[in-house]
Amino acid sequence: MGIKNSIPKMTNYGNRGMSLEEDINITNNYYRQQDIAVIYKKPTPITITKVDYPNRKEAVIKEAYFKTPSTTDYNGIYRGQYLDFEAKETKLNRFPLQNIHSHQITHLKQIIKHGGIGFFIIRFLKNNETYLLEGNALFEFIEKNKQKSIPISYFQEKGYLLKMKLNPRIDYLQVIDQIYFKGGSYETITKK
Amino acid sequence: MGIKNSIPKMTNYGNRGMSLEEDINITNNYYRQQDIAVIYKKPTPITITKVDYPNRKEAVIKEAYFKTPSTTDYNGIYRGQYLDFEAKETKLNRFPLQNIHSHQITHLKQIIKHGGIGFFIIRFLKNNETYLLEGNALFEFIEKNKQKSIPISYFQEKGYLLKMKLNPRIDYLQVIDQIYFKGGSYETITKK
């Protein structure tokens, strides 16, 4: 993700101070602790070129490079369904499509084709708004438009605004319930 | 995984010469190319402590450490189902349980509880035999025994022997079909 919110880290409540990645990690921890879903961020893919082994237990990587990811950052299981998504922040009021690699698009298309739930979570830092956009809605934009970025209005129209809360911080599974599980939210299921 | 088969790499066919990790990666590539399943190995989790940024595009990691993984190595989607597994090799004729971290056990238990398919692929290098063992069969062994390793006979009895082929090299989804999809193999589905 890289781009960080410049608001000081001290404000550790409400909807300020944390990067989208931190917000999602905290939310996923909450989901796991509450036994709602098992969703993780994948480790950053790197190519290791030099390792020091002073002994078996203390390996130190001395040279490594960041690799272009071939999949999305997050995946897991929710209500028996495979779930897969990518999360990005932007300082603009448009989302530049170059922020997503072409094989991430290919990957999410494959996931949806195989019956998984695939989507994007995009935060517009200036507006302090975070949207969930279904994979298919993003693919449709790419197919129908030649623009290299998606205006925030497209997210406002086709996406779902994610509200910031204390716990879970960014409750994206509530929106997933709305879209994919018409039978009610996880709260009605886990709290019975 | 670390432990490599010592047979020379030149033999790049049949059931020799490659580590289990390589066999599984090649198999997963095949599954993706044939549009059978979307399963990936997760990147190795590391903690980065020093990065050089000569410029924006050429970051070099100068110091990093291997982290204990909190999940298993492989996950993905197959026939609409979430799939999750760990793969290990051993030179012994017993599988030492210390090769699997306790949070990997916890993780796979959670996955199965949430409706996912969770299992282990274990290769016994001496015998040149590779077994798929369902998560629950491994958990049952741990609960009922105080031994710190599982004898190969347990795999022979409760597991499924994976045959080595040319393509896919190690067709573990055939066994998954057998256990979880009584309706037939993926071949009858994808080739209709």
Side-chain angles (χ1 to χ4, degrees):
Chain A
M1 221 134 8
I3 311 153
K4 297 260 169 176
N5 199 326
S6 58
I7 298 160
K9 297 262 159 156
M10 276 147 49
T11 333
N12 60 357
Y13 53 83
N15 61 353
R16 289 158 167 275
M18 287 214 176
S19 74
L20 180 56
E21 180 176 330
E22 288 168 310
D23 285 340
I24 294 173
N25 287 344
I26 286 172
T27 302
N28 287 343
N29 286 344
Y30 175 88
Y31 288 151
R32 282 199 304 275
Q33 278 155 14
Q34 301 293 312
D35 209 20
I36 292 163
V38 187
I39 301 160
Y40 280 94
K41 183 177 187 296
K42 290 184 197 167
T44 308
I46 58 162
T47 306
I48 299 169
T49 45
K50 250 187 237 165
V51 184
D52 265 13
Y53 288 104
N55 61 60
R56 219 189 131 81
K57 294 240 162 183
E58 292 174 48
V60 184
I61 298 159
K62 285 293 188 187
E63 193 183 275
Y65 298 87
F66 293 102
K67 266 203 288 200
T68 308
S70 37
T71 67
T72 49
D73 270 357
Y74 302 88
N75 76 357
I77 188 166
Y78 175 53
R79 295 176 80 164
Q81 297 294 303
Y82 178 94
L83 202 126
D84 199 302
F85 65 98
E86 185 62 30
K88 292 283 180 200
E89 293 178 333
T90 179
K91 287 178 181 168
L92 311 170
N93 57 8
R94 312 177 61 81
F95 177 68
L97 284 166
Q98 65 178 24
N99 286 3
I100 297 169
H101 300 289
S102 65
H103 28 264
Q104 292 182 316
I105 302 273
T106 309
H107 172 74
L108 268 183
K109 279 186 181 170
Q110 277 187 305
I111 292 301
I112 292 168
K113 194 183 162 195
H114 282 262
I117 296 173
F119 56 94
F120 296 88
I121 296 180
I122 309 291
R123 175 169 292 173
F124 295 90
L125 292 168
K126 234 193 253 169
N127 306 49
N128 201 17
E129 284 174 8
T130 308
Y131 290 92
L132 187 151
L133 187 69
E134 285 177 89
N136 285 334
L138 189 132
F139 310 148
E140 203 187 299
F141 182 92
I142 295 174
E143 277 153 34
K144 292 193 179 161
N145 295 273
K146 285 179 181 176
Q147 289 160 269
K148 286 180 178 169
S149 63
I150 309 177
I152 190 168
S153 61
Y154 190 79
F155 290 85
Q156 285 157 349
E157 192 196 330
K158 304 262 183 177
Y160 299 81
L161 183 67
L162 295 174
K163 281 172 205 140
M164 299 300 290
K165 296 196 292 185
L166 239 167
N167 229 346
R169 180 170 286 270
I170 180 161
D171 195 2
Y172 62 91
L173 289 182
Q174 210 178 35
V175 169
I176 295 300
D177 280 338
Q178 225 177 292
I179 311 174
Y180 298 94
F181 300 92
K182 307 288 177 189
S185 80
Y186 66 76
E187 283 168 345
T188 59
I189 289 159
T190 52
K191 280 172 187 164
K192 68 185 170 192
Chain B
M1 225 136 2
I3 311 154
K4 297 259 169 176
N5 199 326
S6 58
I7 297 159
K9 296 262 159 157
M10 276 147 48
T11 334
N12 61 358
Y13 53 83
N15 61 352
R16 287 158 168 274
M18 287 211 176
S19 74
L20 179 58
E21 179 176 330
E22 287 169 311
D23 285 339
I24 294 173
N25 288 343
I26 286 172
T27 302
N28 287 342
N29 286 344
Y30 175 87
Y31 289 150
R32 282 199 305 274
Q33 278 156 15
Q34 301 292 314
D35 208 20
I36 292 163
V38 187
I39 301 160
Y40 280 93
K41 182 178 187 295
K42 291 185 196 167
T44 307
I46 56 161
T47 306
I48 299 168
T49 44
K50 251 188 236 163
V51 185
D52 264 15
Y53 288 103
N55 61 60
R56 219 188 132 81
K57 293 241 162 183
E58 291 173 51
V60 185
I61 298 159
K62 286 292 187 188
E63 193 183 275
Y65 297 87
F66 294 103
K67 267 203 286 199
T68 307
S70 36
T71 68
T72 49
D73 270 357
Y74 302 87
N75 75 358
I77 187 167
Y78 175 54
R79 296 177 79 166
Q81 296 296 303
Y82 178 94
L83 202 125
D84 198 302
F85 65 100
E86 184 63 28
K88 293 283 180 199
E89 292 178 335
T90 179
K91 287 177 181 170
L92 310 170
N93 57 7
R94 311 176 61 82
F95 177 67
L97 285 165
Q98 65 179 22
N99 285 5
I100 297 168
H101 300 288
S102 65
H103 29 264
Q104 292 182 316
I105 302 274
T106 309
H107 173 73
L108 269 183
K109 279 186 182 170
Q110 277 187 305
I111 292 303
I112 292 167
K113 193 182 163 193
H114 282 262
I117 296 172
F119 55 94
F120 296 88
I121 295 179
I122 309 291
R123 175 170 291 172
F124 295 89
L125 292 169
K126 236 194 254 170
N127 306 50
N128 201 19
E129 285 175 4
T130 309
Y131 290 92
L132 187 151
L133 186 70
E134 286 178 88
N136 284 333
L138 189 131
F139 309 149
E140 202 186 302
F141 182 92
I142 295 174
E143 278 154 33
K144 292 194 180 162
N145 295 274
K146 284 180 181 172
Q147 289 161 269
K148 285 180 178 167
S149 62
I150 309 178
I152 190 168
S153 60
Y154 190 80
F155 290 86
Q156 284 157 349
E157 190 196 333
K158 304 263 184 174
Y160 299 81
L161 183 67
L162 296 174
K163 280 173 205 136
M164 300 300 290
K165 296 196 292 183
L166 239 167
N167 228 346
R169 180 171 285 270
I170 180 163
D171 196 2
Y172 62 91
L173 289 182
Q174 211 179 31
V175 170
I176 295 299
D177 280 340
Q178 225 176 294
I179 311 174
Y180 298 95
F181 300 94
K182 308 286 177 188
S185 81
Y186 65 76
E187 284 167 345
T188 61
I189 289 160
T190 52
K191 280 172 188 165
K192 68 186 173 192

